[in-house]
Amino acid sequence: MDLQAALKKLIVDVPDFPTEGVTFKDITPLLDNGEALLIVIDHLKARYATRGVQKIVAIESRGFLLGSALAYALGIGLVLVRKPGKLPRETREVTYALEYGTDTLQMHVDALETQEKVVIVDDVLATGGTALATAQLVEASGAHVMELACLMELGFLNGRARLGARPVYSVIQY
Ligand code: AMP
């Protein structure tokens, strides 16, 4: 069995969660499986080990789980992108549109250096709004988005297009 097929067995579709009409991709069975977690992180490590990545930027909250493991594996720093009111010092923020309403993400103003090469990490790329807002926070710091790395890409929502020219890598595609 290939990697993608094996990992898909550990991602559970939960219908109508957190709201009706959404099929939630639950990664807790994958996180719960030591061999699978090791394979995912080693797979991403192999992709970025020789590309001069200087920071991992992880998106709250499931992005933190994969992002921190990847930063550790690469021996580089981890930057947190969080929902409002969580980061204790001065932040920069981006507000973006959701289907209903808006959402805001924040990053500490001093988290990244100008020209730093960054990989953004999240669990799921859906419509791309979250990843785009994060890319804008990185770019507002003067840093460079080398790639968005996600465990899963919901291709039918076309989040990749929303990110424009920024490269996207997904381990699993639906
Ligand atoms: P989006 O901004 O639409 O690309 O949504 C991405 C964010 O929402 C990610 O941080 C995901 O954790 C979460 N997300 C979106 N759709 C799903 C889904 N079907 N299952 C699990 N998480 C999702």
Side-chain angles (χ1 to χ4, degrees):
M1 203 190 320
D2 67 12
L3 175 66
Q4 182 160 174
L7 294 176
K8 277 184 173 175
K9 286 178 183 273
L10 295 170
I11 293 165
V12 178
D13 278 3
V14 184
D16 299 319
F17 183 89
T19 52
E20 209 164 314
V22 173
T23 301
F24 188 82
K25 299 282 186 197
D26 178 21
I27 63 165
T28 59
L30 190 156
L31 295 173
D32 199 331
N33 183 311
E35 191 185 354
L37 186 57
L38 188 68
I39 286 170
V40 166
I41 299 304
D42 280 355
H43 178 82
L44 291 172
K45 178 185 177 185
R47 181 170 179 84
Y48 297 114
T50 59
R51 290 177 61 184
V53 186
Q54 292 164 293
K55 289 271 169 70
I56 296 297
V57 172
I59 305 176
E60 185 162 1
S61 59
R62 288 179 300 277
F64 291 175
L65 306 171
L66 301 170
S68 59
L70 180 59
Y72 175 82
L74 291 169
I76 62 176
L78 176 71
V79 171
L80 306 182
V81 166
R82 301 208 63 178
K83 290 163 188 156
K86 303 281 190 185
L87 290 169
R89 294 181 297 102
E90 189 187 350
T91 58
R92 208 173 257 124
E93 67 179 38
V94 169
T95 297
Y96 58 103
L98 300 173
E99 197 177 347
Y100 304 103
T102 61
D103 233 336
T104 300
L105 289 174
Q106 299 182 329
M107 188 173 77
H108 276 142
V109 288
D110 60 358
L112 293 170
E113 311 268 335
T114 306
Q115 305 298 332
E116 231 169 2
K117 290 184 198 153
V118 162
V119 169
I120 297 171
V121 175
D122 205 357
D123 64 334
V124 176
L125 176 67
T127 65
T130 307
L132 178 61
T134 302
Q136 288 166 340
L137 285 171
V138 169
E139 289 158 4
S141 302
H144 172 69
V145 179
M146 180 183 282
E147 194 153 82
L148 166 74
C150 51
L151 177 61
M152 272 174 275
E153 178 176 1
L154 309 184
F156 51 91
L157 294 174
N158 217 9
R160 190 178 274 268
R162 192 125 170 227
L163 285 160
R166 301 172 189 91
V168 173
Y169 178 72
S170 51
V171 182
I172 301 166
Q173 298 83 38
Y174 288 95

